[in-house]
Coordinates of all heavy atoms in Angstrom, one line a residue:
K10 N 67.5 20.9 -32.1 CA 68.1 20.1 -31.1 C 69.0 19.0 -31.7 O 68.7 18.5 -32.8 CB 67.0 19.4 -30.3 CG 66.1 20.3 -29.6 CD 65.0 19.5 -28.9 CE 63.9 20.4 -28.3 NZ 62.9 19.7 -27.6
D11 N 70.2 18.8 -31.1 CA 71.1 17.8 -31.6 C 72.0 17.3 -30.4 O 72.0 17.9 -29.4 CB 72.0 18.4 -32.7 CG 72.6 17.3 -33.6 OD1 73.4 16.5 -33.1 OD2 72.2 17.3 -34.8
K12 N 72.6 16.1 -30.6 CA 73.4 15.6 -29.6 C 74.7 16.3 -29.4 O 75.4 16.2 -28.4 CB 73.7 14.1 -29.9 CG 72.4 13.2 -29.8 CD 72.7 11.8 -29.5 CE 71.5 11.0 -29.4 NZ 70.8 11.2 -28.2
E13 N 75.1 17.2 -30.4 CA 76.3 18.0 -30.4 C 75.9 19.4 -30.7 O 75.0 19.7 -31.5 CB 77.3 17.4 -31.3 CG 77.8 16.0 -30.9 CD 78.9 15.5 -31.8 OE1 79.7 16.4 -32.4 OE2 79.0 14.3 -32.0
I14 N 76.7 20.4 -30.2 CA 76.4 21.8 -30.4 C 76.6 22.3 -31.8 O 75.9 23.0 -32.4 CB 77.1 22.7 -29.3 CG1 76.5 24.1 -29.4 CG2 78.6 22.7 -29.5 CD1 75.1 24.3 -29.0
E15 N 77.7 21.8 -32.4 CA 78.1 22.3 -33.8 C 77.0 22.0 -34.8 O 76.6 22.9 -35.5 CB 79.5 21.8 -34.2 CG 80.7 22.3 -33.4 CD 80.9 21.5 -32.1 OE1 80.3 20.4 -31.9 OE2 81.7 22.0 -31.3
P16 N 76.5 20.8 -34.9 CA 75.5 20.5 -35.9 C 74.2 21.3 -35.6 O 73.5 21.8 -36.5 CB 75.2 19.0 -35.8 CG 76.4 18.4 -35.1 CD 77.0 19.5 -34.3
A17 N 73.9 21.5 -34.3 CA 72.7 22.2 -33.9 C 72.8 23.7 -34.4 O 71.9 24.2 -35.0 CB 72.4 22.1 -32.4
R18 N 73.9 24.2 -34.1 CA 74.2 25.7 -34.5 C 74.2 25.8 -36.0 O 73.6 26.7 -36.5 CB 75.5 26.1 -33.9 CG 76.0 27.4 -34.4 CD 75.2 28.6 -33.9 NE 75.8 29.8 -34.4 CZ 75.1 30.7 -35.1 NH1 73.9 30.6 -35.4 NH2 75.7 31.8 -35.5
E19 N 74.8 24.9 -36.7 CA 74.9 24.9 -38.2 C 73.5 24.8 -38.8 O 73.1 25.6 -39.7 CB 75.8 23.9 -38.7 CG 76.0 24.0 -40.2 CD 76.6 25.4 -40.7 OE1 77.4 26.0 -39.9 OE2 76.2 25.8 -41.8
K20 N 72.7 23.9 -38.3 CA 71.3 23.7 -38.8 C 70.5 25.0 -38.5 O 69.7 25.4 -39.4 CB 70.6 22.5 -38.2 CG 71.2 21.2 -38.7 CD 70.6 20.0 -37.9 CE 71.3 18.7 -38.2 NZ 70.9 17.6 -37.3
N21 N 70.7 25.5 -37.3 CA 69.9 26.7 -37.0 C 70.3 27.9 -37.9 O 69.5 28.6 -38.4 CB 70.3 27.1 -35.5 CG 69.5 28.3 -35.0 OD1 69.8 29.4 -35.4 ND2 68.5 28.1 -34.2
K22 N 71.6 28.0 -38.2 CA 72.1 29.0 -39.0 C 71.5 28.9 -40.5 O 71.1 29.9 -41.0 CB 73.7 29.0 -39.1 CG 74.3 30.2 -39.4 CD 75.8 30.3 -39.0 CE 76.7 29.3 -39.7 NZ 78.1 29.5 -39.4
Q23 N 71.5 27.7 -41.0 CA 71.0 27.5 -42.3 C 69.5 27.8 -42.4 O 69.0 28.4 -43.4 CB 71.3 26.0 -42.8 CG 72.8 25.7 -43.0 CD 73.5 26.8 -43.9 OE1 73.0 27.1 -44.9 NE2 74.6 27.2 -43.4
L24 N 68.7 27.4 -41.4 CA 67.3 27.6 -41.4 C 67.0 29.1 -41.3 O 66.2 29.7 -41.9 CB 66.6 26.8 -40.3 CG 65.0 27.0 -40.3 CD1 64.4 26.7 -41.7 CD2 64.4 26.0 -39.3
A25 N 67.8 29.8 -40.4 CA 67.7 31.3 -40.3 C 67.9 32.0 -41.6 O 67.2 32.9 -42.0 CB 68.6 31.8 -39.2
K26 N 69.0 31.6 -42.3 CA 69.3 32.2 -43.6 C 68.1 31.9 -44.6 O 67.8 32.8 -45.3 CB 70.6 31.6 -44.2 CG 71.8 32.1 -43.5 CD 73.1 31.4 -44.2 CE 74.3 31.8 -43.5 NZ 75.5 31.2 -44.1
Q27 N 67.6 30.7 -44.5 CA 66.5 30.4 -45.4 C 65.2 31.2 -45.1 O 64.6 31.7 -46.0 CB 66.1 28.9 -45.3 CG 65.1 28.4 -46.1 CD 64.7 26.9 -45.9 OE1 65.4 26.2 -45.1 NE2 63.7 26.4 -46.5
V28 N 64.9 31.4 -43.8 CA 63.8 32.2 -43.4 C 64.0 33.7 -43.8 O 63.1 34.3 -44.4 CB 63.6 32.1 -41.9 CG1 62.7 33.3 -41.4 CG2 63.1 30.8 -41.5
I29 N 65.2 34.2 -43.6 CA 65.5 35.6 -44.0 C 65.4 35.8 -45.5 O 64.8 36.8 -46.0 CB 66.9 36.1 -43.4 CG1 66.8 36.1 -41.9 CG2 67.3 37.4 -44.0 CD1 68.1 36.2 -41.2
K30 N 66.0 34.9 -46.2 CA 65.9 34.9 -47.7 C 64.4 34.9 -48.2 O 64.0 35.6 -49.0 CB 66.7 33.8 -48.3 CG 66.7 33.8 -49.8 CD 67.6 32.6 -50.3 CE 67.6 32.6 -51.9 NZ 68.4 31.5 -52.4
Y31 N 63.6 34.0 -47.6 CA 62.2 33.9 -47.9 C 61.5 35.2 -47.6 O 60.8 35.7 -48.5 CB 61.5 32.7 -47.2 CG 60.0 32.8 -47.4 CD1 59.4 32.5 -48.6 CD2 59.2 33.3 -46.3 CE1 58.1 32.6 -48.7 CE2 57.9 33.4 -46.5 CZ 57.3 33.1 -47.7 OH 55.9 33.2 -47.9
L32 N 61.7 35.8 -46.4 CA 61.0 37.0 -46.1 C 61.4 38.1 -47.0 O 60.5 38.9 -47.5 CB 61.3 37.4 -44.6 CG 60.8 36.5 -43.6 CD1 61.4 36.8 -42.2 CD2 59.3 36.5 -43.5
S33 N 62.7 38.2 -47.4 CA 63.1 39.2 -48.3 C 62.5 39.0 -49.7 O 62.1 40.0 -50.4 CB 64.7 39.2 -48.5 OG 65.3 39.5 -47.3
S34 N 62.3 37.8 -50.1 CA 61.7 37.5 -51.4 C 60.2 37.9 -51.4 O 59.6 38.0 -52.5 CB 61.8 36.0 -51.8 OG 60.9 35.2 -51.0
Q35 N 59.6 38.0 -50.3 CA 58.2 38.5 -50.2 C 58.1 40.0 -50.1 O 57.0 40.5 -49.9 CB 57.5 37.8 -49.0 CG 57.5 36.3 -49.0 CD 56.8 35.8 -50.3 OE1 55.7 36.1 -50.6 NE2 57.6 35.1 -51.1
G36 N 59.2 40.7 -50.4 CA 59.2 42.1 -50.4 C 59.3 42.8 -49.1 O 59.1 44.0 -49.0
I37 N 59.7 42.0 -48.1 CA 59.9 42.6 -46.8 C 61.4 43.2 -46.7 O 62.3 42.5 -47.0 CB 59.7 41.6 -45.6 CG1 58.2 41.1 -45.7 CG2 60.0 42.2 -44.3 CD1 57.9 39.9 -44.8
A38 N 61.5 44.5 -46.4 CA 62.8 45.1 -46.4 C 63.7 44.6 -45.3 O 63.2 44.2 -44.2 CB 62.6 46.6 -46.2
R39 N 65.0 44.5 -45.5 CA 65.9 44.0 -44.6 C 65.8 44.7 -43.2 O 66.0 44.1 -42.2 CB 67.3 44.1 -45.1 CG 67.7 43.1 -46.2 CD 67.7 41.7 -45.7 NE 68.8 41.0 -46.3 CZ 69.2 39.8 -46.0 NH1 68.6 39.2 -44.9 NH2 70.1 39.2 -46.6
E40 N 65.5 46.0 -43.2 CA 65.4 46.7 -41.9 C 64.2 46.3 -41.1 O 64.1 46.6 -40.0 CB 65.5 48.2 -42.1 CG 64.3 48.8 -42.9 CD 64.7 49.0 -44.4 OE1 65.6 48.4 -44.9 OE2 64.0 49.7 -45.1

């Protein structure tokens, strides 16, 4: 949540990338 859409979207994007990278590092296949 943010007072503006751009920072909210950017923070969401960064956290999503972090989550995906972490899951991949645990041996979970991209598919």
Side-chain angles (χ1 to χ4, degrees):
K10 299 175 184 180
D11 202 294
K12 295 206 179 283
E13 295 183 30
I14 189 65
E15 292 84 10
R18 170 70 176 122
E19 187 57 35
K20 289 174 192 170
N21 183 286
K22 205 160 66 172
Q23 293 309 314
L24 184 51
K26 285 180 183 179
Q27 184 183 353
V28 165
I29 292 167
K30 183 177 178 181
Y31 168 75
L32 293 170
S33 294
S34 77
Q35 297 306 300
I37 299 171
R39 287 291 219 170
E40 61 266 18

